Amino acid sequence: MTRVWEWNRPVTVREVLEDLQKERSIAYTTVMTVLDNLHQKGWVRREAEGRAYRYEAVSTRAAYAAALMNEAWSASDNPAAALVAFFGMMSPDQRHALRDAVRIVQADDERAEERAEERAEERAGERAGEGPRAGREAGSEERGEPGTGGEGKGR
């Protein structure tokens, strides 16, 4: 999988073989068997190209690593303790990356909540017979935003 992820595009058995042969001697049939096994397990998809196949990763390396971490964490009888132990093993750079990742997820959550609230307001306005944009316009007027028909203060 490492070689397929490194290429980051559909690859042939021959391409993977030539890449591996830079480091060690390996048979074409070995590479072909491994890629076929990865296909059967659902890790790669393949598309026929002439008499050969092109193989492409089904998920990214990051998604695979995340799934492994989630699986290990979920299997713990004490998930909080497992996380504390895991964080304790991290380097300062890894902890910094973790803080950045948490900020990104929190921002995504906040945006999703805002969109859900907006949709709920729109549906409420539609149910009240005010039309699909009424909920937003009414909310804008209440906040006194200019250009929405409200009498509020300008910015």
Side-chain angles (χ1 to χ4, degrees):
M1 275 309 299
T2 299
R3 299 302 170 137
V4 175
W5 282 320
E6 285 174 356
W7 282 81
N8 199 29
R9 64 167 176 78
V11 295
T12 64
V13 172
R14 177 76 49 204
E15 289 172 321
V16 175
L17 172 71
E18 290 172 359
D19 194 29
L20 288 169
Q21 285 181 333
K22 292 175 186 173
E23 298 172 14
R24 64 178 186 205
S25 178
I26 188 167
Y28 180 93
T29 53
T30 302
V31 177
M32 183 175 61
T33 299
V34 169
L35 285 169
D36 185 59
N37 289 342
L38 290 171
H39 176 257
Q40 289 181 27
K41 290 179 180 184
W43 289 35
V44 296
R45 66 177 67 89
R46 68 183 181 192
E47 189 173 316
E49 183 177 279
R51 292 177 41 206
Y53 287 107
R54 283 207 171 268
Y55 294 87
E56 181 177 22
V58 170
S59 69
T60 64
R61 187 178 210 153
Y64 173 70
L68 284 178
M69 288 187 288
N70 187 54
E71 184 180 321
W73 179 57
S74 298
S76 173
D77 61 342
N78 188 340
L83 283 175
V84 169
F86 179 64
F87 297 155
M89 294 177 195
M90 294 176 134
S91 70
D93 285 345
Q94 289 171 322
R95 283 194 295 275
H96 185 75
L98 175 65
R99 282 191 291 277
D100 289 346
V102 168
R103 279 191 216 103
I104 290 168
V105 170
Q106 287 173 335
D108 288 347
D109 287 348
E110 289 169 8
R111 282 192 293 274
E113 287 175 18
E114 290 170 3
R115 286 191 302 272
E117 289 172 6
E118 289 171 1
R119 286 191 300 272
E121 288 174 7
E122 288 174 4
R123 286 192 299 273
E126 290 172 8
R127 282 194 296 273
E130 299 170 346
R133 297 185 48 82
R136 270 192 310 241
E137 290 171 358
S140 297
E141 288 176 14
E142 290 170 9
R143 290 188 299 271
E145 294 178 3
T148 61
E151 294 295 324
K153 307 174 217 169
R155 290 188 190 204

